[in-house]
Amino acid sequence: KDGVLVGENVKIASTVTIEAPAIIGHNSELRPGAYIRGNVITGSGCVLGNSSEYKNCILLDNVQTPHYNYVGDSVLGEYAHTGAGVILSNVKSDKKNIKIKINDEVIETNLRKFGSIICDHVEVGCNSVLCPGTVILSNSNIYPLTRVRGLINSNVIVKDMENIIEKEDR
């Protein structure tokens, strides 16, 4: 329909809803019940999962959000993967603007809604919640059932926010 561009070889289940504007990259898959609410751009080879919702987001190539996810006001890097039930929360409970905290620096977004920035090759475990303004740098893993906030460095494993370990070289 007007305002929706779909690449070649995209699989779209019959129960998918796509609201404009949206761009879906080549060789992607939109599974049953996916709800694309608009302002969504995906790269090639992405999986937008069953019963998942997307709005105001960018998914780079080969992102997989296969089932029961909420991805709002966020950016996901190449090969990022979210397990079942992962929520990228985009509104603070006090409804104040989102601030991104990187070490000692605070970046004012001047936005009431801002989810997460997840960099390349990040794995987020099932039923984890990323608080608004969370930034996860490349090659990191988040354990299932983890509440994550702030900056997560590259090449770490987050067991919980008090137990973050560096990945060992292999």
Side-chain angles (χ1 to χ4, degrees):
K1 59 184 173 181
D2 285 345
V4 176
L5 302 173
V6 177
E8 296 177 3
N9 302 313
V10 174
K11 296 177 186 176
I12 303 176
S14 63
T15 56
V16 169
T17 300
I18 305 175
E19 295 179 4
I23 300 171
I24 308 300
H26 303 301
N27 303 308
S28 292
E29 179 181 1
L30 282 60
R31 293 183 176 169
Y35 180 27
I36 291 86
R37 285 180 49 193
N39 296 313
V40 173
I41 299 172
T42 78
S44 297
C46 292
V47 174
L48 282 71
N50 68 295
S51 303
S52 295
E53 182 176 348
Y54 307 84
K55 79 165 196 67
N56 300 331
C57 60
I58 298 171
L59 284 62
L60 298 182
D61 291 345
N62 301 300
V63 166
Q64 293 193 1
T65 55
H67 22 249
Y68 308 108
N69 297 145
Y70 177 74
V71 181
D73 304 284
S74 297
V75 178
L76 282 70
E78 291 184 350
Y79 293 96
H81 176 266
T82 57
V86 170
I87 305 297
L88 279 59
S89 180
N90 62 344
V91 178
K92 292 173 56 177
S93 59
D94 64 8
K95 309 293 191 250
K96 291 183 179 177
N97 287 347
I98 309 299
K99 298 175 184 178
I100 298 174
K101 296 176 184 170
I102 299 178
N103 300 322
D104 293 330
E105 184 179 356
V106 175
I107 300 168
E108 299 282 350
T109 66
N110 296 315
L111 299 170
R112 194 175 69 80
K113 292 187 176 184
F114 187 99
S116 296
I117 298 172
I118 300 175
C119 293
D120 299 346
H121 300 278
V122 168
E123 293 280 339
V124 181
C126 295
N127 292 315
S128 292
V129 176
L130 308 186
C131 295
T134 295
V135 176
I136 304 175
L137 300 181
S138 297
N139 303 309
S140 290
N141 294 65
I142 309 299
Y143 266 27
L145 297 170
T146 304
R147 179 189 55 83
V148 181
R149 67 181 313 134
L151 172 68
I152 304 300
N153 287 321
S154 296
N155 302 306
V156 298
I157 299 170
V158 179
K159 296 182 178 187
D160 59 52
M161 289 304 293
E162 288 74 42
N163 192 2
I164 299 173
I165 60 171
E166 301 250 348
K167 287 185 176 181
E168 295 178 12
D169 291 335
R170 292 186 184 237

